[in-house]
Amino acid sequence: MPTTLIFATNNAHKVEEIQAVIGDAIEVISLSAVGIDIDIPEPHATLEENAREKSQTIYRLTGLPCFSEDTGLEVDALNGEPGVKSARYAGEHRDFSANIEKVLAGLEGKENRGARFRTVISIIWDGIEHQFEGICEGEILRERRGEKGFGYDPIFMADGETRSFAEMTTQEKTAISHRTKAASELVKFLKNNTNNGIHA
Ligand code: IMP
């Protein structure tokens, strides 16, 4: 029965978003908090394979319960790109701003701006891998809006919303996000597999 779960990331935004869903029954800790300083490769063609690679890598290093997530922005008019390449869409330097520019440039003159964020969470639990998916449908705005969040947040507006993710507070984004949906499935799994009072 763990009281802590290692999250194979060093993205503080992601840790904050997932901790908000899991609640305080389990403490989510990042790689730097357990002294692991590696850049885990994401060499595969799918979010599912990359998520598995990350969780298995950290499990091999620590032997402790751990999970990872991989997220992609899938834009319909770009044939699902940037997708699995979201972090490095404009190059290896992982520049959020350049990535956004590339998406906006690719959509110039296109009517269909439909897109979704898709998250895959992979957890290694008792040595066995389990995966959970979360999807948030929306559209790509014509220009950046807002300063909050990270990554593609300034150009993504979820269905039914009037503001971009970057114009929302963490709480507002968390209420509807892809990551929350995947994390909610993770919480259900943890609830069914532990007896430490997690509330789904
Ligand atoms: P990864 O899951 O860290 O590999 O993220 C892939 C890319 O998608 C990175 O460029 C992230 O900044 C971006 N990304 C992941 N999650 C989100 C999100 O919730 N909002 C905006 N961009 C995101």
Side-chain angles (χ1 to χ4, degrees):
M1 182 174 80
T3 52
T4 59
L5 256 186
I6 300 173
F7 184 7
T9 186
N10 276 320
N11 182 326
H13 289 279
K14 289 185 176 181
V15 176
E16 189 187 351
E17 287 183 17
I18 288 210
Q19 183 75 71
V21 181
I22 289 185
D24 51 17
I26 288 182
E27 185 190 6
V28 176
I29 48 177
S30 68
L31 290 182
S32 55
V34 288
I36 296 177
D37 180 18
I38 54 169
D39 196 15
I40 307 167
E42 298 179 339
H44 302 291
T46 64
L47 298 175
E48 283 79 3
E49 290 167 287
N50 282 337
R52 180 178 306 125
E53 173 103 20
K54 285 191 265 190
S55 58
Q56 286 182 338
T57 300
I58 299 308
Y59 184 69
R60 274 196 296 271
L61 281 172
T62 64
L64 296 170
C66 63
F67 71 97
S68 71
E69 67 96 68
D70 206 26
T71 295
L73 175 66
E74 300 174 343
V75 181
D76 293 333
L78 301 178
N79 300 316
E81 286 198 349
V84 73
K85 296 183 272 190
S86 291
R88 299 173 175 82
Y89 195 40
E92 279 305 313
H93 48 298
R94 299 197 211 186
D95 180 334
F96 286 166
S97 188
N99 288 342
I100 285 179
E101 281 312 314
K102 188 168 175 184
V103 170
L104 291 178
L107 285 181
E108 242 168 62
K110 300 218 160 87
E111 277 305 307
N112 180 1
R113 308 202 56 104
R116 72 205 49 77
F117 275 115
R118 194 163 74 85
T119 292
V120 174
I121 288 180
S122 162
I123 186 168
I124 310 289
W125 190 261
D126 283 341
I128 294 168
E129 197 226 8
H130 305 263
Q131 291 198 344
F132 311 99
E133 183 189 59
I135 293 174
C136 182
E137 296 283 350
E139 66 183 81
I140 303 299
L141 296 166
R142 288 181 192 275
E143 57 197 11
R144 299 156 199 251
R145 279 168 44 184
E147 304 289 329
K148 302 186 188 68
F150 67 101
Y152 297 94
D153 281 347
I155 56 165
F156 184 82
M157 187 163 75
D159 283 351
E161 298 295 326
T162 55
R163 291 173 300 163
S164 77
F165 267 172
E167 293 176 301
M168 295 178 159
T169 62
T170 300
Q171 286 76 6
E172 289 169 332
K173 178 183 170 188
T174 301
I176 57 170
S177 85
H178 44 294
R179 194 166 295 103
T180 296
K181 289 175 185 160
S184 300
E185 296 301 312
L186 171 68
V187 168
K188 275 189 216 156
F189 172 85
L190 292 171
K191 206 180 163 194
N192 288 335
N193 288 277
T194 63
N195 56 353
N196 62 353
I198 289 189
H199 300 290

